[in-house]
Structure formats: structure tokens, C-alpha cells
Amino acid sequence: AYIPMYGIQLAFRDFVPSKGLTGGAFVGLKYFVQFFTSPMFASTMINTFKISLGTLVLGFLAPIVLALLINQIGSQKIKGFVQTITYMPHFISTVVIVAMLNIFLTPQTGLIGRFLGSQSVLDNADAIAPIYWISEVWQHVGWNAIIYLAALSSVDLSLYEAAKMDGAGRLQLIRYVDLPTIMPTCVILLIMNMGSVLNVGFEKVWLMQNAMNMPGSEVISTYVYKVGLKSQQFSFSSAIGLFNNVINFIILILANTAANKITGSGLW
């Protein structure tokens, strides 16, 4: 993890292939300024934040709700069945997921697309973010709920019995027993997710991207790929990647500080 960080210096140099990772002439913040003044800066940042924040919020809340609901199922067989069918999509590859989206959203013939008009929804730049959010939650909600179910399994059963004797219903059990139990886990996972808020999954966005939806689907990771590997602007792409990581690190520090002040628990 640390040895490859030596390559960060390329963000401050003119890359010369013959000199390898030692780079070339030192140019300071040239490539950072180039990115900040680029016509793509505003759109890529907006798209990245829109997709990542929506995924973060929905992907954080949905597993908690699912875990709380599954925990209320009395039958172990039914509980195991529900867990199985909800976390199975996690093992489907990204390529297959995007292929399924294309099939379902195809106009006239798609299971969903036939009700959405004559134009493919995937060609709509404004629809890319919601499609990404929904598909991400559907695919990973069951898997992400496992850690909350593990936390809920450690609840002392006497707490449920005492609460029921006091007249607590299901909602009261969830509010006063289950939620306080998983809250520390929720805080830790939220902080860790905040540390990668700008790291939108490259593969999925790249596979969903086309000429029609480009204004809404060009994110930092796809832009870095295009300028770095396809255009071979290695110093420029290194500067963008470093900027991305610095922003993620700052957000992580702020999230941890806020969590310590509000809940009293954090990563450190």
C-alpha cells in the first residue's frame, strides 16, 4: 500500500517514460491547475458527488432497515431463506448487472423499458444516477446487512423479554433495543464509507456510459482512465487521482470528528 505511493511525485513532474518513476522536470502544481481550469472539472465533480452521495445514503440506510426487518422474523428457516435471496445478487458480476439493466430497460421489449417510452432510459443523462443508486442497493443490500445482523445476534434476549413485559411492541423493540445495539456499528461503517465517497465504481459507470448519457455519467474515475491510459497523460491523471484521494481523506477526518462529538464513537 505504501511503496507504490512513491509514484505520487508524478503529479508534480512532466512524466518522461525513459526516466521511469523518477519522472522528469518538476512543474509544481501545473497539472492540478490544468484540472481545476478544465471544462470537465465542474461536470465530473458534480456527477461524482451526485452518484456517490446517493449511493452512500441509500446504501447505508437500506441494509439497516433490511437487517431490522429480518431480525423480527421468528422462524429460523424463513429468516435464512430471506437472507439467502437478498445477498445472492452480491455475487453477480458487474458486467452481468449492466447487461441485465440494458435488457430490462430496452424500449418496447424490456420488462421495464416498455413502460418508460420509446427512448432508452440509459440514454438519459439525468437517469444514470438514479439507475446506479437503485441497482447498487439491490445488488448489495443483503450482503451489507449481514454485519448488522451479526451485531443484532449479540443482543441479550432478556432485554426483549423485559421490554415485552413492559408492553413494548415491535416498533418499540426496534427503537429502544435493536437500534442502540447496532448504532456503534452504523457509525463505524458510515465513517469508513465517507472515506471513499468520491471513489465511484469505475467498472459499472464505464459499462453504462455512452455518447448520449455522457453529460451525466462522466465521473472522476472514468475521466482519469481516459486521460491517463487512453491519452497517456500520466502526470495529469496522477494529479487528478491525488486530488481525489486528498478530498476523500479530508472527508474521512471530518466525518470521524463529527461522529466523536455527536455519538462519542469513531475510528479513533
Side-chain angles (χ1 to χ4, degrees):
Y2 292 99
I3 293 177
M5 290 178 66
Y6 178 75
I8 289 176
Q9 64 164 326
L10 294 180
F12 305 94
R13 295 178 179 274
D14 276 325
F15 177 70
V16 178
S18 62
K19 295 185 178 181
L21 289 179
T22 57
F26 182 79
V27 294
L29 301 177
K30 169 186 174 181
Y31 292 107
F32 293 92
V33 174
Q34 181 178 337
F35 177 53
F36 297 150
T37 57
S38 168
M40 295 299 298
F41 176 73
S43 60
T44 54
M45 292 299 295
I46 292 173
N47 292 338
T48 301
F49 272 108
K50 182 190 298 184
I51 294 176
S52 62
L53 289 179
T55 305
L56 175 66
V57 173
L58 294 177
F60 173 70
L61 296 177
I64 297 175
V65 174
L66 178 62
L68 293 172
L69 293 176
I70 291 177
N71 192 58
Q72 294 299 313
I73 300 176
S75 171
Q76 290 299 320
K77 289 185 178 180
I78 297 178
K79 182 182 292 187
F81 174 73
V82 173
Q83 281 186 257
T84 301
I85 63 174
T86 52
Y87 75 59
M88 282 180 65
H90 175 79
F91 300 99
I92 303 176
S93 72
T94 304
V95 175
V96 175
I97 290 293
V98 176
M100 291 169 61
L101 289 174
N102 278 284
I103 294 172
F104 292 155
L105 297 176
T106 299
Q108 284 84 45
T109 60
L111 184 64
I112 301 173
R114 65 178 64 185
F115 303 105
L116 300 178
S118 59
Q119 183 182 5
S120 175
V121 180
L122 288 174
D123 290 339
N124 187 344
D126 295 329
I128 288 297
I131 292 173
Y132 188 97
W133 302 337
I134 295 170
S135 59
E136 278 292 294
V137 171
W138 172 80
Q139 184 178 8
H140 301 296
V141 63
W143 180 264
N144 293 335
I146 292 177
I147 191 168
Y148 297 113
L149 288 169
L152 288 170
S153 66
S154 65
V155 177
D156 189 349
L157 295 180
S158 63
L159 293 176
Y160 289 118
E161 296 173 358
K164 289 179 180 178
M165 291 180 63
D166 290 337
R170 289 184 180 272
L171 292 179
Q172 284 75 26
L173 290 175
I174 292 174
R175 179 179 179 183
Y176 296 109
V177 180
D178 291 342
L179 281 177
T181 300
I182 64 174
M183 190 55 64
T185 304
C186 295
V187 172
I188 296 299
L189 291 179
L190 178 61
I191 294 173
M192 294 178 67
N193 290 335
M194 289 293 289
S196 57
V197 68
L198 293 184
N199 292 341
V200 177
F202 165 77
E203 297 88 352
K204 191 170 187 177
V205 175
W206 177 255
L207 292 170
M208 293 172 63
Q209 199 173 82
N210 59 47
M212 298 291 290
N213 65 33
M214 191 75 69
S217 63
E218 187 74 297
V219 295
I220 291 178
S221 57
T222 57
Y223 185 59
V224 168
Y225 169 74
K226 291 174 182 177
V227 300
L229 294 181
K230 298 187 71 174
S231 300
Q232 298 185 355
Q233 301 179 53
F234 299 112
S235 295
F236 186 36
S237 61
S238 297
I240 300 174
L242 179 57
F243 166 76
N244 185 34
N245 290 330
V246 169
I247 296 298
N248 281 333
F249 181 71
I250 293 173
I251 293 175
L252 174 63
I253 297 297
L254 294 176
N256 187 75
T257 303
N260 280 321
K261 290 183 177 180
I262 296 173
T263 66
S265 61
L267 290 177
W268 66 87

